[in-house]
Structures are given as structure tokens and as C-alpha cells.
Amino acid sequence: MISDLLQIHVLIPWLLGMVFGVFVGATPGLTATMAVALIVPVSFYMPDPNTGLAMIIGVSFTAIFAGDIPATYLRIPGTPASAAATLDGHQLAKQGKGGYSLLMDLFCSCIGGLVGVALLMMIAPQLARFALRFSSYEYFWLAIFGLSMSAVVSTGNTRRGLLAAAFGMILATVGLDVVSGAQRFTFGNLELMSGLGFIPVMIGLFGVSEVIRSTMAGFQHNGENLDHNKKENSPLAAVLAIWKNKLTVAKSSIAGTLIGALPGAGADIAAWAAYGIEQRSSKKGQKFGTGEEAGVIAPTSANNAAVSGAWIPALVFGIPGDAVTAIVLGAMMMYEIKPGPLIFEQNPEQVGSIFLIALLTQLLLLPCGYLGLKTFGWLLKLPRSIIMVAVLVFSVIGSYSLRNSIFDVYVMAVFGIVGYFLEAKRVPLAPLILGLILGPMVEENFRTGLIKSEGSLLTFLTRPLCALLLVLLVLAFLSPKLLKLLKGDTNNHDRITS
Amino acid sequence: MKFILTSALFAALSFCAVLFFNGCTPADTETSSEDYPSKTITLICPWAAGGGTDRLSRYMADQLQRELGKPCVVVNRTGGSGVVGHSAGALAKPDGHTITMITSELNSMHWMGITDLTYENFDPLLQLNADAAAIIVRSDSEWNSVSDFLDAARTNPGKLTMSGTATGGVWDLARAGFQLATDIPVNAVRWIPAKGAAPSIVELLGGHIDAVCCSVPEAISQIEAGQLKALCVMSENRLKDYPDIPTVKEDGIDWIGVGWRGLGMPQKTPQAILDKVVAACSKIVRSPEYESFMKKNGFAIKIREGMEFGTFLKEQDDQWKIVVKAAGYAK
């Protein structure tokens, strides 16, 4: 079977697709979903379904990794799942270790993806059955968890972080209310009915505000070299750092796969949850956000694992877990592959080749991703003024092309200015984006949960999985204090005995 | 000084951006039916790229390009439960160079006060498909027929939960109309809003809700695997592809609830152009390729052309008006 895939006529479109995924994912303003939507019509021209699927699966994994490249170098996330890389990854780049950070990122993406695919191959049906136990109540707590993680990890700035998250949630209320169909804050504007898209807002907050900042500073960092630390930027150093944090990689990959396997949650929550869990449980928790290796490793292992995880409900139920798998499932129907409960019995060869494609994609990610990060690092040697013009152009294209709406370009511009001022007042931007993405998830699940429970709030606390999530949430908030308490105890103890 | 320079750079860039995108709509030229189409045709899809309606739009665009000899591109104008795309299509210049993939929401959303747009803002070209609503439950459910389900709803008012779309979406209205036809108050079954049929099927499988209302193909992989069963379809006759599922009519319930897709042009498009496009579409939908495309995607074919489609739209509009009011969704 593997020999069928390792044919020139399969490998060439596959690799080309992956390089395309790197380009789209790494371009601020163009997202992973867009990369997949663009490649699907092309894949229909491929002679056999496996070639087409290889292209599509390849693109989805590389684009999620590549989103971390501009997040690390420019502090502009390429996709929403890479927002966590703007923290420690970018700090490392500022210390001249951008290449080091991205190599760790690349290796961990590959490992996270492999762990995800391995779990998919071994226990997909069991995981899918577990995911079925999640309903509105559990998703509500999960969204709250992701949201609080993004806020509490905003280094030493929890209050501002929570404020930003709340602001994001308020912005998320604009548009048609899904539960009642009522219009909120639309002012009769047609475009506002669909709400503020998080992509234009994200591009504005991170990309355009960065352009404004650079412009105001008069492009001082001309030809800044974010890789100048030559010794540190070797693959060997990255491998050693990962080995040191092997537990983090394992933990984050598994958590990422589990979250990805839930039909109602995706790579963005996975990345933040992993980052949060790591920061709250690590001894070096306070150092997170200043360029900690574990702060790079945790979210990136989790987001690629979540992309694999999203395949679990897709294959087992034929139900997409996120926007990317929704497009892929549509493409599979065109190939007359019917994912769903029967595919494992009726078409095991097809399932086998999908697994194999997903596995090989992780390995092919290494050369393609390496090419991407080298190219990007090289492009960054251009004068800052030119880079910023390119960022602005792609930001406009990315915002416009999402819904073919010039309104989204205005939204992007407005949030560029908003982002600039928030940043000047040291308000973290990542919680704001998460608030916008997870706000609707919190609200919808809370309200549908109330409809299901006939208005009882108790159900949100008494379901076993809810209680578990709640305990995790409380632990995450209190863990630094608990750790300190435990440490304090042992110190006293030491004193007494000595 | 630097600030002035950089602001100028900004202004110039934004100006270029606006020019560039406005430039995408080429200068208007008078068109008569002989030289139609004289430029690229835009097919507006009010739903997101990658979904079922989008796939159908792309297929039709590809075929129309072959028939009419000019490029035909799909533009997804999504948002506002379909309002954005439908409005963009209705407000376009009526010169035949903008076609819209219109969907059943066109007949209900104006009754709900979301928009002023109605089916009358479009000149109908033709209907491409119709998917009948079905009531689907878990296979281990004690309900084996539509009357079992109705008895349960009657004896436990307010206890049963159903899902399938957003509140006021096509499947919510279909089950609301179904309940009206059987004298069960609409709120006797609680509708759990969802993002679509797929997430509600997950909820149903997990035992969090009692039933789903959606089209049969949307749940077919679970039905074939024996996890779910369809109690009834709300169509005139039994479905050609799923002849085992009884219609509600067989139980003496006078109700038809379908979701449909079709093509329309802005009103006041010259008749000659309409005729030309209807002729082209009519040829496309009668080809075996169309049949196999629809089968692959699980869409049921239902063709109504020109005025016949117009009459259907009028009937649908009247039907949903009553349901929207009775369900309490009217503005």
C-alpha cells in the first residue's frame, strides 16, 4: 500500500500542496482554512482519490505549523491556532533565537501530529464514543477553560488579560443571535448581521497594529536579524531542548488530540489549553512569556495533534470537528468515499490509506516546514519598511477574500488602530482574540444547555465530566499558590528538622 | 516629517487597495441578449466554501461556463443566515452577469423580520433540488412510527427535545409546520438550536436530545450503520433513493416540508437573457453528469423552470408565513 503512495505522480502534487500550505499558513492574513478551501478544487483534477486526499491532508497539517512562523518572527499569528506562539516564540526570536524556536516548533508539530495519528489509528472508535458524552454543558466549561487560560497566562497581567477576554466576548455578541435569531448591535447594517469575523479582527490587532508601530518607530529595526545567535539555531540544540521537555511534548500532544477529537472544539483551544496547563504546572511557570522553551513546545505540539484529533469524529461519524475537516469531508464525498460508522468495515483499505497519508505527511512536514522557515527567515533580512508593506497588502487581501467583503477590510483597519492603543496601554491582545472566538461557544452552549435542562443551572455542575472540568479549572487558577504553599511547608519542615 | 511621510504612504496604500477591489467589477456596458454574456459571470453563493450549497454552486458555475462561453466564478458572500449573499445577489445590476444560488431561507427570513428581501426581488431561473425534512431518532428508541412520536409529544408537552438547525432555520420551521398540522403546539417540543444537522446528529447519538429533523442524506451514514432510524419524511411521495421511509401523508397528515436550492437573477433582468440562461441550465440539469453529481452529494433532484419555479416560490412563501407566525418567530 505504501508503494502506491510513494509514486512520483502522487508525491509531486503532495509535496507541492504542502509547500503551498506553508506559504499560505505563513502569510499573515491567510489562514489554514483558506489554504484547504483553495486546494480542494485543484485536487479534483488529480487522477485518483489518494493523490487528492494526500494534497488536502498535507495542506491542512503544514498550514497549521506554518502559522507559527510569522507569529515567532513578527508577532503576527498566521492562523488563529498560532496565537500562543506570539508569546515565548517571539521572545526567543527577539533574543536572536528565532531559528531555534521554530526548529523546536517544527519538530514538535511533527511529533504532535504523529501522536495524534497514532491515537487515531489505535483508539479512534473509543475516543469518538468518549466525545459523544460531551454536550452543551461540557463544551461550556471547556470554552471557559480555554478562555481563562489565555487570560491567566498573560504574564503577570491577569487582570488586564481578563479585561481583554471580556472585551473580546462583548465584541462576539455583535450579529444574529443563534439561539433566538434576534439582531444584536447591528444598527440595521447588513454586514454586521454576520458579526465581527475573528479573522479580520485578528489580522488587524496583530498585523496592522504592528505595521503602525513600526511606522511610528520609523522602521528602526532595519534588516533586524532574528537568527543572529548562530550556535543556538542548530537543529541539534532544538532536539536537545525537546528531549529535556519530553514530558511536556507527550502531555500536550495527548491533550491536543483529545480536544481535537471533540466535534465542538479545535486547534485554537487545544493550543491555549496546553500552554495554560504547562504554565500552571511547571516549576518555571513565572518565566513563561519571556522565552521559555516549554512555552513554545506545548502549544505547537497540541495544535498539530488537534488537527489529527479532528479526524476522529470525521471518520467515525462522518461529522466534521472544525472548518477544515468540514471542507475535507465535502471533498471525500466527491471522491465517493463515505466517512461514517461503516467505513471501517466496508472500506478498510481506504481508511488504511488515509492513516498512511496522515502519517507520511508528518514526516514530509519536516523538509517542507524547514524550507518554509528558512525562506521566511531569509525574507526577513529585507528592510523592515518593505516587509511591513507586504504585511499590509496580505492583511488587506486576507480580510477581503474571507467573505469577499470590503467591510471586513474596514474592520481590519479599525482593529489595527484599536490594537495599537491597547498594546500601548499594555493590554494583552491574545485573550481578546480568544474571547472573540470562544465567546460565542460559551454563550451558545450556556443557553442551549439551559434550554435542555429546562432552566436549571445545577446541571452545569452535577454532570460528572462537568465537575471534572470545573476541578481542573479551579486547580489551574490556584496551582501557583498551592505550589508555593507546598514549598513553604517543606521549607518550614526543613528548618525544624535541621 | 517622518509622520507625514508615513501617513501619506498609508493613505496611498489604502487608496490602492480600494481601487484594486473596486476594479474587480469592470465598467458597465450595455448588454443585449445577442452579445450576452459579454463578460465574466459571477455566481453568488450565500453559504460558506466547502459546504453542500457551495459544491453545487461550483458545479453549476463550471457547467454554465461551458454552455455560455464566458468565465463563471463563484463568490461566497456568507453571513447573517444567508441574508448577506441573497441581498448582494438581489441588488446586483440586472444585466445577467450576476446569478445567485437562492435557498429556502429566502421564503422565511423576511417573515422573521431579519430582512426586507423577498423572493420577488429575484427573477427565478430554475429550481435545482428539493430535500424533504425527516424525523430521525436513535435506533434503540421506543418510537417506531410517526404516531409513536406524536403520542409521546402529546402526552409529555414540553419534555421532548429536537434539533437540526438554528432557531427559525429550515428544519426548525419544517417540524414546527408538522406539529401545527397535527395540532401539537409548536413549543410542546423544545427546539435546541444547533449550527447544522451534523452537530445535532452527534447530540442525538450521545443521547442528549430525543430527535433530529433534517434531510435523510444528512444522516444516511448513521442510518445505514443502524445507529439511527428515520420515522418519516415530509414529502409528497416516498423518496426515490430511500423507499422504505414512509411519508407523513400516509399517516393522514397534510404537510410537506422541504428545503430547496435554485438559481435566480436580480429582478428586471431582460426576458431574452433570462430565457437564454434558463435554456442553458435546463440542458445542464438534464445531463447524466448532473444526475451523478447530485447522487454523489446526496441531493435529491427536483427541477422547476422559470415561471413554474416562480409559482412554487409563491406557494412556499405563503406556507412559511403561517408557520413563522404560529411558531412565534414573526417580528
Side-chain angles (χ1 to χ4, degrees):
Chain A
M1 197 155 55
I2 192 157
S3 55
D4 292 339
L5 289 174
L6 295 177
Q7 301 277 334
I8 269 304
H9 71 272
V10 184
L11 271 173
I12 287 180
W14 193 352
L15 283 168
L16 282 178
M18 290 183 74
V19 170
F20 171 79
V22 170
F23 169 75
V24 175
T27 307
L30 310 182
T31 61
T33 314
M34 193 185 294
V36 175
L38 285 173
I39 206 79
V40 163
V42 181
S43 75
F44 291 148
Y45 291 101
M46 293 303 128
D48 65 307
N50 281 337
T51 314
L53 280 176
M55 284 178 89
I56 300 170
I57 294 174
V59 167
S60 68
F61 280 99
T62 41
I64 291 280
F65 156 72
D68 289 348
I69 301 178
T72 303
Y73 278 136
L74 295 170
R75 220 180 61 109
I76 306 172
T79 69
S82 340
T86 59
L87 304 171
D88 293 274
H90 183 64
Q91 289 304 325
L92 280 173
K94 271 170 117 181
Q95 297 161 17
K97 296 189 245 177
Y100 168 61
S101 166
L102 280 172
L103 280 168
M104 282 194 292
D105 204 314
L106 177 60
F107 294 141
C108 289
S109 293
C110 168
I111 299 169
L114 284 174
V115 170
V117 178
L119 288 175
L120 169 69
M121 288 168 75
M122 292 184 298
I123 51 169
Q126 288 85 343
L127 273 178
R129 265 203 298 281
F130 170 73
L132 277 186
R133 299 180 54 187
F134 274 65
S135 185
S136 315
Y137 317 102
E138 285 81 11
Y139 282 119
F140 166 77
W141 285 114
L142 196 68
I144 292 278
F145 188 75
L147 205 55
S148 7
M149 282 308 110
S150 76
V152 296
V153 298
S154 326
T155 36
N157 215 340
T158 308
R159 212 173 308 155
R160 284 199 170 87
L162 284 172
L163 210 64
F167 181 50
M169 286 178 79
I170 292 174
L171 291 176
T173 58
V174 176
L176 280 185
D177 163 19
V178 275
V179 177
S180 70
Q183 298 189 37
R184 298 189 296 202
F185 307 113
T186 58
F187 306 103
N189 182 322
L190 200 65
E191 306 273 2
L192 275 179
M193 272 175 59
S194 35
L196 294 166
F198 65 82
I199 302 285
V201 173
M202 181 185 84
I203 297 171
L205 285 178
F206 286 99
V208 179
S209 74
E210 187 66 39
V211 173
I212 300 177
R213 224 174 354 262
S214 289
T215 315
M216 294 302 241
F219 305 116
Q220 270 163 5
H221 313 284
N222 247 343
E224 163 178 41
N225 191 346
L226 297 166
D227 295 320
H228 63 74
N229 223 327
K230 275 276 171 318
K231 216 177 182 179
E232 288 268 17
N233 286 327
S234 73
L236 190 68
V239 170
L240 283 176
I242 294 171
W243 183 249
K244 245 190 262 164
N245 291 292
K246 50 189 178 299
L247 268 179
T248 307
V249 179
K251 241 189 321 185
S252 309
S253 305
I254 293 172
T257 313
L258 293 181
I259 294 175
L262 300 172
D268 34 20
I269 307 182
W272 282 110
Y275 188 92
I277 293 170
E278 200 46 42
Q279 195 240 19
R280 301 314 263 191
S281 62
S282 160
K283 273 177 239 145
K284 292 191 268 179
Q286 285 98 329
K287 282 199 190 157
F288 270 57
T290 59
E292 258 313 298
E293 278 91 353
V296 175
I297 290 173
T300 193
S301 309
N303 66 15
N304 264 49
V307 178
S308 315
W311 279 88
I312 293 171
L315 280 179
V316 177
F317 300 131
I319 282 163
D322 57 8
V324 171
T325 35
I327 301 174
V328 180
L329 282 184
M332 286 170 99
M333 290 180 85
M334 297 296 293
Y335 291 127
E336 295 184 75
I337 301 169
K338 278 194 190 142
L342 292 180
I343 191 174
F344 288 87
E345 292 160 35
Q346 290 180 348
N347 208 344
E349 294 108 70
Q350 190 57 56
V351 177
S353 44
I354 291 174
F355 287 162
L356 205 56
I357 289 169
L359 271 182
L360 290 174
T361 294
Q362 310 306 326
L363 301 177
L364 293 176
L365 175 63
L366 291 174
C368 294
Y370 190 72
L371 182 78
L373 71 92
K374 279 290 155 197
T375 315
F376 212 80
W378 175 76
L379 280 176
L380 280 175
K381 296 209 172 80
L382 289 168
R384 193 82 173 165
S385 49
I386 293 179
I387 293 173
M388 285 302 140
V389 170
V391 167
L392 195 61
V393 169
F394 281 112
S395 297
V396 171
I397 294 175
S399 304
Y400 179 81
S401 57
L402 200 68
R403 294 190 307 191
N404 295 301
S405 147
I406 195 80
F407 180 81
D408 283 342
V409 179
Y410 301 146
V411 169
M412 174 205 80
V414 168
F415 278 92
I417 297 164
V418 170
Y420 176 77
F421 284 109
L422 288 179
E423 189 83 330
K425 292 283 169 211
R426 295 187 296 116
V427 176
L429 299 177
L432 205 168
I433 284 297
L434 262 279
L436 191 60
I437 298 178
L438 299 184
M441 187 171 158
V442 170
E443 191 203 342
E444 282 159 29
N445 285 306
F446 182 64
R447 290 175 64 192
T448 49
L450 280 182
I451 299 179
K452 281 184 211 159
S453 71
E454 296 181 77
S456 157
L457 284 170
L458 215 61
T459 323
F460 283 91
L461 305 172
T462 51
R463 289 168 63 96
L465 277 170
C466 286
L468 184 73
L469 283 167
L470 196 60
V471 169
L472 276 178
L473 187 66
V474 173
L475 274 181
F477 264 99
L478 296 180
S479 61
K481 286 198 180 118
L482 284 176
L483 279 176
K484 218 181 269 169
L485 215 70
L486 286 174
K487 244 186 242 161
D489 276 355
T490 48
N491 284 347
N492 289 343
H493 191 70
D494 286 349
R495 225 171 289 147
I496 293 162
T497 46
S498 65
Chain B
M1 184 60 203
K2 213 183 287 165
F3 182 67
I4 300 174
L5 264 180
T6 46
S7 340
L9 177 74
F10 249 116
L13 269 176
S14 4
F15 183 66
C16 290
V18 171
L19 263 191
F20 172 66
F21 291 117
N22 284 347
C24 289
T25 7
D28 303 321
T29 42
E30 275 309 307
T31 32
S32 63
S33 65
E34 287 97 75
D35 50 4
Y36 172 84
S38 59
K39 60 183 185 196
T40 301
I41 298 168
T42 306
L43 201 160
I44 295 180
C45 171
W47 304 98
T53 310
D54 177 64
R55 284 199 296 281
L56 182 56
S57 304
R58 283 177 202 279
Y59 177 82
M60 287 308 292
D62 191 46
Q63 298 294 316
L64 280 170
Q65 183 163 336
R66 275 169 221 191
E67 289 297 322
L68 297 172
K70 282 278 175 196
C72 182
V73 294
V74 174
V75 173
N76 300 86
R77 294 293 311 269
T78 58
S81 300
V83 176
V84 173
H86 280 108
S87 303
L91 300 175
K93 196 167 190 283
D95 61 359
H97 290 99
T98 309
I99 304 177
T100 310
M101 178 66 70
I102 52 180
T103 56
S104 12
E105 285 73 12
L106 185 60
N107 283 138
S108 56
M109 57 193 180
H110 66 105
W111 297 121
M112 298 169 66
I114 303 174
T115 175
D116 295 331
L117 197 76
T118 72
Y119 70 96
E120 287 171 323
N121 293 86
F122 285 99
D123 282 337
L125 290 170
L126 91 171
Q127 182 183 350
L128 295 165
N129 100 305
D131 287 314
I135 292 182
I136 294 156
V137 295
R138 279 185 303 282
S139 14
D140 58 11
S141 151
E142 55 193 28
W143 307 321
N144 288 312
S145 69
V146 70
S147 50
D148 291 349
F149 177 77
L150 289 173
D151 287 344
R154 261 194 210 102
T155 45
N156 308 297
K159 285 287 165 216
L160 298 192
T161 50
M162 266 182 107
S163 185
T165 55
T167 306
V170 56
W171 305 136
D172 179 19
L173 294 177
R175 68 93 202 181
F178 170 65
Q179 282 175 240
L180 286 175
T182 49
D183 287 326
I184 295 174
V186 175
N187 57 11
V189 174
R190 280 177 291 142
W191 185 259
I192 311 294
K195 286 242 170 65
S200 8
I201 291 169
V202 177
E203 290 272 303
L204 182 63
L205 289 172
H208 307 293
I209 52 173
D210 298 310
V212 161
C213 180
C214 66
S215 74
V216 179
E218 283 173 306
I220 194 61
S221 42
Q222 280 74 29
I223 294 175
E224 281 177 351
Q227 295 174 331
L228 300 180
K229 60 188 176 192
L231 297 181
C232 61
V233 283
M234 305 178 191
S235 55
E236 179 89 44
N237 302 307
R238 288 198 179 204
L239 303 176
K240 206 175 85 197
D241 297 328
Y242 314 104
D244 299 336
I245 309 169
T247 65
V248 291
K249 222 170 208 170
E250 293 168 32
D251 277 83
I253 301 161
D254 182 27
W255 171 251
I256 292 172
V258 294
W260 53 263
R261 300 176 176 89
L263 294 174
M265 279 188 181
Q267 61 173 341
K268 300 200 182 99
T269 303
Q271 192 58 45
I273 291 178
L274 287 175
D275 293 343
K276 195 163 176 178
V277 181
V278 171
C281 290
S282 166
K283 200 170 147 200
I284 295 167
V285 298
R286 279 178 179 76
S287 67
E289 291 90 50
Y290 181 75
E291 220 164 280
S292 86
F293 171 85
M294 296 298 273
K295 199 169 170 60
K296 267 190 222 169
N297 280 284
F299 302 143
I301 298 178
K302 178 76 203 177
I303 309 295
R304 289 185 175 93
E305 283 178 20
M307 275 339 288
E308 194 196 349
F309 185 29
T311 320
F312 170 75
L313 288 176
K314 170 98 188 65
E315 285 166 12
Q316 287 283 305
D317 214 63
D318 295 341
Q319 173 182 323
W320 295 124
K321 176 187 180 176
I322 300 165
V323 176
V324 167
K325 275 218 172 111
Y329 297 148
K331 200 185 172 184

